[in-house]
Amino acid sequence: MLQKIRSFCHSTWKRPGLIYAYLLCFNLALAVFVTIALRLYPAGDRMILTVDSYYQYAPFLAALRDKLLHWQNLFMSFSVGLGVNFWTLIAYYALSPFNLLLLLLPADSLPFGFYLIIIAKIITAALTMCAFLRYYYIKRPLLQARKLMALAPAQKDNLLYWQNCYQKKGIKKRENFVLFFASSFYAWSGFVMAYLWNIMWLDAVFMLPLVALGLSKIFRERKLILYVLTLSYTIIVNYYTAIFVCLFIALYSVVVCIDEWQYRRNFEKMTGICQHIYKNIIVSLLDFSSLSVFSGMIAAFVLYPVWAGFHLSSAAGDHFPDACKFELSLTDIINRLMAGGNVKIRAGEPNIYVGCLALVGIALLIYHLAKKPAAILPKALLLVFIGVSFSNNILNFIWHGLHYPNQLPHRFAFVFCFLMVQTIFECTYDFQKRWSKYLLIGAVWFTVLCAGNFALLNYADAEQNLFLTANMSFSLAYLLAALLLTVAQYLAGKRRRQSELRTIDLPQIKLGKPAGAGFFVAPTFYKLIPYLRQSAFILLTCALVAELLFNTVRQLSDLNESEYFPSNQAYVEDFTWKRAASRALQQQYGKKLFRMEVQDGKTINDGALYNYNGVSIFSSTSNCQTAVSMRKMGINGNNINSYKLQKPLNFWAELFGVQYLWSAGDIYKHWPEVDWDTLQLTPEERPDKENIKLRRNPAAAGQAFVWAKDLKDFYLDDKQPYLNYNRLVKRLLPDSNITDDWHLKGENAVPALFEAVPLQLSRQQFSEITSADHSYHLTAGDNFKTKDFSAAYHSSIPVEEDKACTILTYQATEDEEDLSIYVDSDETLYFTCAINGQTKVTHEFGYPEAVQLPQLQKGDTVELQFAYKEHNGKAEITAASMNKEVRRLWQEKMAATLHFEAESSAFLQADLAELKTAPAAEKQLYLYTTIPYDSGWRLQAGGETLPAFSWLNAQKPEQKESGAFLAFALPSSLQMNDKINLYYVPPKFTAGAAVTISGIFLTIIYIYIVYRQRNGKKQEE
């Protein structure tokens, strides 16, 4: 083993570039080890898709893959959310060129491709960190030697000094050893382990060292290309993490400026050659500022459309904190630097682990501050500032782009990891001769810290004991290695001093204590020096590798325990038949737009995952107003950036044109079942589960309708969706004899679309229920005694005696009765529906939601059971039946709707001749669609181009260009046999593209001018 380590150090000393090959192989081997240890696919069935990567990132990458393979438009997509701005979506989620790897893999290998991209980015982070540290520290003497050779060839002594600093064999071996592990620990840092599933953030992790490298080249050599390319790439690939990089680089430029000032001053003192220090630094700062602006301009084709659509998302409107608060202590930060700590994803301390040597190197840091404060103090102060930012709410708010993050705290922690690794590397680099002594002091401090944690957590659980035991073991290993190195260094010093004494002429020694006097060391002990060094070297290498392996496996295991790594087989098992059915339907419909969804889908973005035009969406870039309106219509959603179609009401499915639904169960049994033979699917492309059916909605409307009424002032302002639907239908059918009142079924002579039905209480335990406004208010808690109002009543649904449970019953009064239920609960409420003694529906109510129940026949007995997992909870329950006559009138109205034909996803066309009845020509006509509002849509009709407005809003939009759904005022010159064209370009994309072209042009001119100046200066010199 020792020979292999020696070979590594020797080879990297002779060929410095070889260290990248070693880093690549080592980190690849580490990735393979982690894959096997955690039984990740293909070594097992687990996959790394967890948290948002399961629901968002993987589906969006699948959508991007489909668009690229079929050369589709990237501006708009109907695969999720009824239609979303796909350009801003991929600007946040999927613009990394690493994602092109998915084009080489089949669709059902998406999770594996996702994992390969993660590994590729982690290895790239190790390589880029190595490149930065080599240039910033190791190559600096060589650069100065070249400069000295160009300026003053006669100064051979100084030239030899600078060259020896770069070429000294012993120093370079230690440099490569530290460089190798520093780069690896950065790549597998605590931040990466906690957020490796957040695939689009990893680009910033590996690009930060390159941006810093480009910044260093500006100050040292006035080379500009690397900085502008890397910063532009970082902004384009993910504008959100680019905020952290840009803020950090702005602060870090001060550190680089001070470093360069100090180094130029030392060079000037040693060589006597004037460096024009202040002039060069001012010029470098000008270059840095100009190129930063140019980089932003180059990325404008992404930034400008994102900024223009930002006001539609839930992230807009955050206010500056009112008070200053500090939430973390110094102990919290220090403990996060230790190995094997729990990953913090939902809340907690920052993930900043970069190896225990960060704690061991504290002694070197303190010594460095005392001896060379100008060199290390700026970095130390910046580290302290970032550490305070973790705790302070105002600084945290600023770091996150003036935004309060929704979970996933301290998203900028990777800049702290980068600076910590650089600082520790600088300490070991500058104090090669003394590093063993101070490594010993740091190891003693780390051991004391671990012992103190043992004393504080002597009653810790098994997980904490593992954490403390592992860190104590590593501290003892580093302590022993440092002790061996210190003894070896002491013996080497004694031998050197005694050899110097032998060369001194004895008569010249003055009386007194001779030089080199002290403890006498027998020559035999000098033979132990190489063995001590070799032992320490092996021990230190083994400890570092063991720590890296332990922390990686431990933190990923903790991520699996806290968030869960799902089954790869379960994720991809339905890819074949769902994608095949979608493809077959698209071939049948041709360009005609149709919508499909999955009942209780796997993810909230199943449309993107299986490549069909879907309804559900979960995206940080989605329209917030649409999400609010969806909740007002009883669709499950967080009211911010997601809504999921689970068991939609028949009325909603008709209104929004959901023509096909993958269904399991009897809820939509009255919808015709699609015959697989008509789709010409092979046996392998058909579902392998008999209960999975693809059903067609015979009453589904088109995506738009023309009406002569202005609905801008209509708002879904009621909490209960049934009232909103009643008011909408009353507004659209003003001449019909219907009402929008909320009343019991049959008690009002004038019908409404939805009418409340009375429910009978059959059983309740640990709960109490009251009735008001035709709704039922359920309250559950331990303070309610167990009650059974009908001891003779036998429930067909199993009832657990220890759970808060309520059973309500209803008996159908007509054939083909459409019954649904709406529940608004403050806790998760488990719902079961049985019809005539057979369980038909099970559901979990989290967010307020309306759920469709199976179609009933007269006399059917319906049992509705509501149970809380815990005893405490409150819920409002409403059951409603849809009036057949009003529904018939509504369906007649919606029969005259328009179906768009998609020339591309960003260009839709509809023929007004498709309308069966034409509105009065003398009235102003409006086109109302069920496409989410976006100001980038334009309508061309009758020779005019018209902007959009919004309708079906939950409330009056606060901003002009915002709203829930898309609508247009049609031109008066429009004829009923004309065609309507809708085209989409992301807002401000054209202007952003123009700025990008200008930025590229200005960058080329600026770099060319600097290149000419630099060459002219070299010729003068």
mmCIF file of all heavy atoms in Angstrom, residues 466-498:
data_model
loop_
_atom_site.group_PDB
_atom_site.id
_atom_site.type_symbol
_atom_site.label_atom_id
_atom_site.label_comp_id
_atom_site.label_asym_id
_atom_site.label_seq_id
_atom_site.Cartn_x
_atom_site.Cartn_y
_atom_site.Cartn_z
ATOM 1 N N LEU A 466 -23.288 6.576 17.431
ATOM 2 C CA LEU A 466 -22.506 6.270 16.238
ATOM 3 C C LEU A 466 -21.784 7.510 15.740
ATOM 4 O O LEU A 466 -20.595 7.451 15.374
ATOM 5 C CB LEU A 466 -23.430 5.716 15.153
ATOM 6 C CG LEU A 466 -22.775 5.448 13.788
ATOM 7 C CD1 LEU A 466 -21.702 4.375 13.910
ATOM 8 C CD2 LEU A 466 -23.830 5.040 12.758
ATOM 9 N N PHE A 467 -22.485 8.623 15.723
ATOM 10 C CA PHE A 467 -21.892 9.885 15.291
ATOM 11 C C PHE A 467 -20.697 10.264 16.156
ATOM 12 O O PHE A 467 -19.616 10.592 15.662
ATOM 13 C CB PHE A 467 -22.978 10.967 15.332
ATOM 14 C CG PHE A 467 -22.470 12.374 15.233
ATOM 15 C CD1 PHE A 467 -21.971 12.868 14.041
ATOM 16 C CD2 PHE A 467 -22.498 13.216 16.337
ATOM 17 C CE1 PHE A 467 -21.509 14.170 13.953
ATOM 18 C CE2 PHE A 467 -22.052 14.516 16.260
ATOM 19 C CZ PHE A 467 -21.550 14.993 15.062
ATOM 20 N N LEU A 468 -20.849 10.187 17.477
ATOM 21 C CA LEU A 468 -19.777 10.574 18.386
ATOM 22 C C LEU A 468 -18.627 9.575 18.375
ATOM 23 O O LEU A 468 -17.455 9.960 18.393
ATOM 24 C CB LEU A 468 -20.330 10.730 19.802
ATOM 25 C CG LEU A 468 -21.354 11.863 19.985
ATOM 26 C CD1 LEU A 468 -21.950 11.816 21.374
ATOM 27 C CD2 LEU A 468 -20.695 13.205 19.747
ATOM 28 N N THR A 469 -18.954 8.297 18.323
ATOM 29 C CA THR A 469 -17.905 7.270 18.314
ATOM 30 C C THR A 469 -17.059 7.373 17.055
ATOM 31 O O THR A 469 -15.819 7.266 17.111
ATOM 32 C CB THR A 469 -18.537 5.869 18.399
ATOM 33 O OG1 THR A 469 -19.332 5.787 19.585
ATOM 34 C CG2 THR A 469 -17.460 4.805 18.441
ATOM 35 N N ALA A 470 -17.694 7.583 15.918
ATOM 36 C CA ALA A 470 -16.949 7.700 14.664
ATOM 37 C C ALA A 470 -16.038 8.916 14.686
ATOM 38 O O ALA A 470 -14.858 8.828 14.306
ATOM 39 C CB ALA A 470 -17.925 7.787 13.492
ATOM 40 N N ASN A 471 -16.546 10.051 15.155
ATOM 41 C CA ASN A 471 -15.709 11.251 15.183
ATOM 42 C C ASN A 471 -14.575 11.115 16.193
ATOM 43 O O ASN A 471 -13.466 11.596 15.941
ATOM 44 C CB ASN A 471 -16.571 12.479 15.503
ATOM 45 C CG ASN A 471 -17.329 12.981 14.297
ATOM 46 O OD1 ASN A 471 -16.790 13.712 13.470
ATOM 47 N ND2 ASN A 471 -18.588 12.588 14.188
ATOM 48 N N MET A 472 -14.839 10.452 17.327
ATOM 49 C CA MET A 472 -13.765 10.209 18.287
ATOM 50 C C MET A 472 -12.692 9.305 17.678
ATOM 51 O O MET A 472 -11.491 9.530 17.860
ATOM 52 C CB MET A 472 -14.336 9.589 19.557
ATOM 53 C CG MET A 472 -13.282 9.248 20.602
ATOM 54 S SD MET A 472 -12.375 10.708 21.205
ATOM 55 C CE MET A 472 -13.566 11.341 22.369
ATOM 56 N N SER A 473 -13.115 8.312 16.916
ATOM 57 C CA SER A 473 -12.147 7.416 16.269
ATOM 58 C C SER A 473 -11.293 8.171 15.266
ATOM 59 O O SER A 473 -10.071 8.002 15.212
ATOM 60 C CB SER A 473 -12.889 6.266 15.574
ATOM 61 O OG SER A 473 -13.674 5.537 16.488
ATOM 62 N N PHE A 474 -11.923 9.021 14.463
ATOM 63 C CA PHE A 474 -11.154 9.789 13.486
ATOM 64 C C PHE A 474 -10.208 10.763 14.186
ATOM 65 O O PHE A 474 -9.064 10.962 13.758
ATOM 66 C CB PHE A 474 -12.088 10.548 12.553
ATOM 67 C CG PHE A 474 -12.922 9.658 11.669
ATOM 68 C CD1 PHE A 474 -14.276 9.884 11.498
ATOM 69 C CD2 PHE A 474 -12.352 8.579 11.012
ATOM 70 C CE1 PHE A 474 -15.045 9.070 10.692
ATOM 71 C CE2 PHE A 474 -13.109 7.750 10.203
ATOM 72 C CZ PHE A 474 -14.457 7.993 10.044
ATOM 73 N N SER A 475 -10.669 11.371 15.274
ATOM 74 C CA SER A 475 -9.806 12.317 15.997
ATOM 75 C C SER A 475 -8.593 11.610 16.578
ATOM 76 O O SER A 475 -7.471 12.142 16.539
ATOM 77 C CB SER A 475 -10.611 13.008 17.102
ATOM 78 O OG SER A 475 -10.946 12.094 18.139
ATOM 79 N N LEU A 476 -8.774 10.407 17.104
ATOM 80 C CA LEU A 476 -7.637 9.659 17.645
ATOM 81 C C LEU A 476 -6.678 9.243 16.533
ATOM 82 O O LEU A 476 -5.451 9.248 16.726
ATOM 83 C CB LEU A 476 -8.140 8.426 18.402
ATOM 84 C CG LEU A 476 -8.932 8.714 19.687
ATOM 85 C CD1 LEU A 476 -9.461 7.431 20.292
ATOM 86 C CD2 LEU A 476 -8.060 9.467 20.703
ATOM 87 N N ALA A 477 -7.217 8.878 15.359
ATOM 88 C CA ALA A 477 -6.348 8.521 14.235
ATOM 89 C C ALA A 477 -5.531 9.730 13.793
ATOM 90 O O ALA A 477 -4.306 9.614 13.560
ATOM 91 C CB ALA A 477 -7.193 7.994 13.082
ATOM 92 N N TYR A 478 -6.172 10.894 13.690
ATOM 93 C CA TYR A 478 -5.429 12.093 13.308
ATOM 94 C C TYR A 478 -4.439 12.492 14.404
ATOM 95 O O TYR A 478 -3.341 12.983 14.111
ATOM 96 C CB TYR A 478 -6.401 13.239 13.029
ATOM 97 C CG TYR A 478 -7.313 12.987 11.854
ATOM 98 C CD1 TYR A 478 -8.666 13.311 11.895
ATOM 99 C CD2 TYR A 478 -6.825 12.402 10.695
ATOM 100 C CE1 TYR A 478 -9.496 13.061 10.827
ATOM 101 C CE2 TYR A 478 -7.653 12.155 9.617
ATOM 102 C CZ TYR A 478 -8.988 12.486 9.683
ATOM 103 O OH TYR A 478 -9.809 12.230 8.620
ATOM 104 N N LEU A 479 -4.827 12.282 15.646
ATOM 105 C CA LEU A 479 -3.922 12.600 16.754
ATOM 106 C C LEU A 479 -2.680 11.724 16.704
ATOM 107 O O LEU A 479 -1.552 12.211 16.857
ATOM 108 C CB LEU A 479 -4.664 12.406 18.082
ATOM 109 C CG LEU A 479 -3.870 12.696 19.355
ATOM 110 C CD1 LEU A 479 -3.440 14.155 19.399
ATOM 111 C CD2 LEU A 479 -4.704 12.354 20.586
ATOM 112 N N LEU A 480 -2.855 10.432 16.456
ATOM 113 C CA LEU A 480 -1.713 9.526 16.391
ATOM 114 C C LEU A 480 -0.835 9.847 15.186
ATOM 115 O O LEU A 480 0.409 9.855 15.293
ATOM 116 C CB LEU A 480 -2.212 8.078 16.313
ATOM 117 C CG LEU A 480 -1.133 6.988 16.246
ATOM 118 C CD1 LEU A 480 -0.191 7.091 17.452
ATOM 119 C CD2 LEU A 480 -1.771 5.615 16.176
ATOM 120 N N ALA A 481 -1.449 10.123 14.034
ATOM 121 C CA ALA A 481 -0.671 10.473 12.846
ATOM 122 C C ALA A 481 0.111 11.760 13.071
ATOM 123 O O ALA A 481 1.295 11.857 12.707
ATOM 124 C CB ALA A 481 -1.598 10.613 11.649
ATOM 125 N N ALA A 482 -0.535 12.746 13.681
ATOM 126 C CA ALA A 482 0.166 14.005 13.955
ATOM 127 C C ALA A 482 1.286 13.805 14.959
ATOM 128 O O ALA A 482 2.362 14.426 14.851
ATOM 129 C CB ALA A 482 -0.842 15.037 14.478
ATOM 130 N N LEU A 483 1.075 12.943 15.938
ATOM 131 C CA LEU A 483 2.113 12.666 16.931
ATOM 132 C C LEU A 483 3.319 12.005 16.268
ATOM 133 O O LEU A 483 4.475 12.376 16.538
ATOM 134 C CB LEU A 483 1.545 11.768 18.030
ATOM 135 C CG LEU A 483 2.482 11.449 19.208
ATOM 136 C CD1 LEU A 483 2.898 12.724 19.922
ATOM 137 C CD2 LEU A 483 1.811 10.479 20.173
ATOM 138 N N LEU A 484 3.074 11.042 15.401
ATOM 139 C CA LEU A 484 4.179 10.376 14.696
ATOM 140 C C LEU A 484 4.937 11.362 13.814
ATOM 141 O O LEU A 484 6.172 11.348 13.765
ATOM 142 C CB LEU A 484 3.633 9.222 13.859
ATOM 143 C CG LEU A 484 3.045 8.035 14.634
ATOM 144 C CD1 LEU A 484 2.420 7.029 13.671
ATOM 145 C CD2 LEU A 484 4.107 7.359 15.490
ATOM 146 N N LEU A 485 4.216 12.206 13.119
ATOM 147 C CA LEU A 485 4.873 13.196 12.266
ATOM 148 C C LEU A 485 5.667 14.206 13.084
ATOM 149 O O LEU A 485 6.769 14.625 12.692
ATOM 150 C CB LEU A 485 3.827 13.923 11.415
ATOM 151 C CG LEU A 485 3.220 13.142 10.256
ATOM 152 C CD1 LEU A 485 2.097 13.935 9.611
ATOM 153 C CD2 LEU A 485 4.278 12.812 9.214
ATOM 154 N N THR A 486 5.126 14.603 14.237
ATOM 155 C CA THR A 486 5.826 15.571 15.087
ATOM 156 C C THR A 486 7.111 14.971 15.648
ATOM 157 O O THR A 486 8.166 15.634 15.671
ATOM 158 C CB THR A 486 4.903 16.025 16.233
ATOM 159 O OG1 THR A 486 3.695 16.556 15.686
ATOM 160 C CG2 THR A 486 5.575 17.083 17.072
ATOM 161 N N VAL A 487 7.066 13.725 16.082
ATOM 162 C CA VAL A 487 8.275 13.058 16.583
ATOM 163 C C VAL A 487 9.299 12.924 15.469
ATOM 164 O O VAL A 487 10.502 13.171 15.663
ATOM 165 C CB VAL A 487 7.914 11.673 17.173
ATOM 166 C CG1 VAL A 487 9.167 10.888 17.513
ATOM 167 C CG2 VAL A 487 7.049 11.846 18.408
ATOM 168 N N ALA A 488 8.828 12.533 14.278
ATOM 169 C CA ALA A 488 9.747 12.417 13.151
ATOM 170 C C ALA A 488 10.364 13.755 12.798
ATOM 171 O O ALA A 488 11.570 13.845 12.508
ATOM 172 C CB ALA A 488 9.007 11.843 11.943
ATOM 173 N N GLN A 489 9.572 14.798 12.843
ATOM 174 C CA GLN A 489 10.086 16.137 12.550
ATOM 175 C C GLN A 489 11.084 16.580 13.616
ATOM 176 O O GLN A 489 12.111 17.186 13.311
ATOM 177 C CB GLN A 489 8.910 17.132 12.475
ATOM 178 C CG GLN A 489 9.295 18.524 12.013
ATOM 179 C CD GLN A 489 9.662 18.550 10.547
ATOM 180 O OE1 GLN A 489 9.260 17.669 9.794
ATOM 181 N NE2 GLN A 489 10.463 19.517 10.163
ATOM 182 N N TYR A 490 10.815 16.245 14.862
ATOM 183 C CA TYR A 490 11.741 16.597 15.948
ATOM 184 C C TYR A 490 13.075 15.861 15.786
ATOM 185 O O TYR A 490 14.158 16.455 15.914
ATOM 186 C CB TYR A 490 11.111 16.247 17.295
ATOM 187 C CG TYR A 490 12.056 16.406 18.468
ATOM 188 C CD1 TYR A 490 12.344 17.659 18.976
ATOM 189 C CD2 TYR A 490 12.661 15.297 19.044
ATOM 190 C CE1 TYR A 490 13.210 17.812 20.054
ATOM 191 C CE2 TYR A 490 13.531 15.426 20.115
ATOM 192 C CZ TYR A 490 13.801 16.694 20.610
ATOM 193 O OH TYR A 490 14.673 16.841 21.656
ATOM 194 N N LEU A 491 13.040 14.575 15.502
ATOM 195 C CA LEU A 491 14.267 13.803 15.307
ATOM 196 C C LEU A 491 15.032 14.306 14.093
ATOM 197 O O LEU A 491 16.273 14.385 14.125
ATOM 198 C CB LEU A 491 13.921 12.325 15.135
ATOM 199 C CG LEU A 491 13.361 11.604 16.366
ATOM 200 C CD1 LEU A 491 12.970 10.177 16.025
ATOM 201 C CD2 LEU A 491 14.358 11.631 17.524
ATOM 202 N N ALA A 492 14.333 14.657 13.038
ATOM 203 C CA ALA A 492 15.020 15.178 11.855
ATOM 204 C C ALA A 492 15.709 16.495 12.171
ATOM 205 O O ALA A 492 16.827 16.755 11.715
ATOM 206 C CB ALA A 492 14.020 15.360 10.716
ATOM 207 N N GLY A 493 15.045 17.329 12.966
ATOM 208 C CA GLY A 493 15.675 18.594 13.356
ATOM 209 C C GLY A 493 16.896 18.389 14.220
ATOM 210 O O GLY A 493 17.917 19.068 14.052
ATOM 211 N N LYS A 494 16.834 17.453 15.171
ATOM 212 C CA LYS A 494 17.988 17.158 16.021
ATOM 213 C C LYS A 494 19.152 16.637 15.188
ATOM 214 O O LYS A 494 20.311 17.016 15.394
ATOM 215 C CB LYS A 494 17.615 16.131 17.086
ATOM 216 C CG LYS A 494 16.652 16.636 18.135
ATOM 217 C CD LYS A 494 17.284 17.683 19.057
ATOM 218 C CE LYS A 494 18.356 17.076 19.942
ATOM 219 N NZ LYS A 494 18.929 18.054 20.893
ATOM 220 N N ARG A 495 18.870 15.766 14.246
ATOM 221 C CA ARG A 495 19.933 15.227 13.399
ATOM 222 C C ARG A 495 20.570 16.327 12.564
ATOM 223 O O ARG A 495 21.796 16.362 12.400
ATOM 224 C CB ARG A 495 19.358 14.143 12.498
ATOM 225 C CG ARG A 495 20.411 13.473 11.609
ATOM 226 C CD ARG A 495 19.809 12.325 10.839
ATOM 227 N NE ARG A 495 18.718 12.776 9.977
ATOM 228 C CZ ARG A 495 17.990 11.942 9.206
ATOM 229 N NH1 ARG A 495 18.235 10.635 9.225
ATOM 230 N NH2 ARG A 495 17.017 12.413 8.469
ATOM 231 N N ARG A 496 19.770 17.234 12.054
ATOM 232 C CA ARG A 496 20.300 18.313 11.245
ATOM 233 C C ARG A 496 21.187 19.232 12.070
ATOM 234 O O ARG A 496 22.272 19.645 11.646
ATOM 235 C CB ARG A 496 19.156 19.100 10.609
ATOM 236 C CG ARG A 496 19.617 20.202 9.660
ATOM 237 C CD ARG A 496 18.455 20.859 8.946
ATOM 238 N NE ARG A 496 17.487 21.437 9.877
ATOM 239 C CZ ARG A 496 16.305 20.908 10.136
ATOM 240 N NH1 ARG A 496 15.954 19.768 9.548
ATOM 241 N NH2 ARG A 496 15.481 21.482 10.984
ATOM 242 N N ARG A 497 20.760 19.549 13.286
ATOM 243 C CA ARG A 497 21.560 20.443 14.120
ATOM 244 C C ARG A 497 22.870 19.778 14.557
ATOM 245 O O ARG A 497 23.911 20.415 14.635
ATOM 246 C CB ARG A 497 20.747 20.872 15.344
ATOM 247 C CG ARG A 497 19.669 21.890 15.009
ATOM 248 C CD ARG A 497 19.062 22.496 16.245
ATOM 249 N NE ARG A 497 18.309 21.525 17.029
ATOM 250 C CZ ARG A 497 17.034 21.262 16.846
ATOM 251 N NH1 ARG A 497 16.367 21.888 15.891
ATOM 252 N NH2 ARG A 497 16.420 20.380 17.603
ATOM 253 N N GLN A 498 22.819 18.482 14.874
ATOM 254 C CA GLN A 498 24.045 17.789 15.268
ATOM 255 C C GLN A 498 25.015 17.677 14.101
ATOM 256 O O GLN A 498 26.233 17.762 14.275
ATOM 257 C CB GLN A 498 23.697 16.404 15.804
ATOM 258 C CG GLN A 498 23.000 16.453 17.157
ATOM 259 C CD GLN A 498 22.742 15.078 17.731
ATOM 260 O OE1 GLN A 498 23.175 14.077 17.168
ATOM 261 N NE2 GLN A 498 22.047 15.030 18.856
#
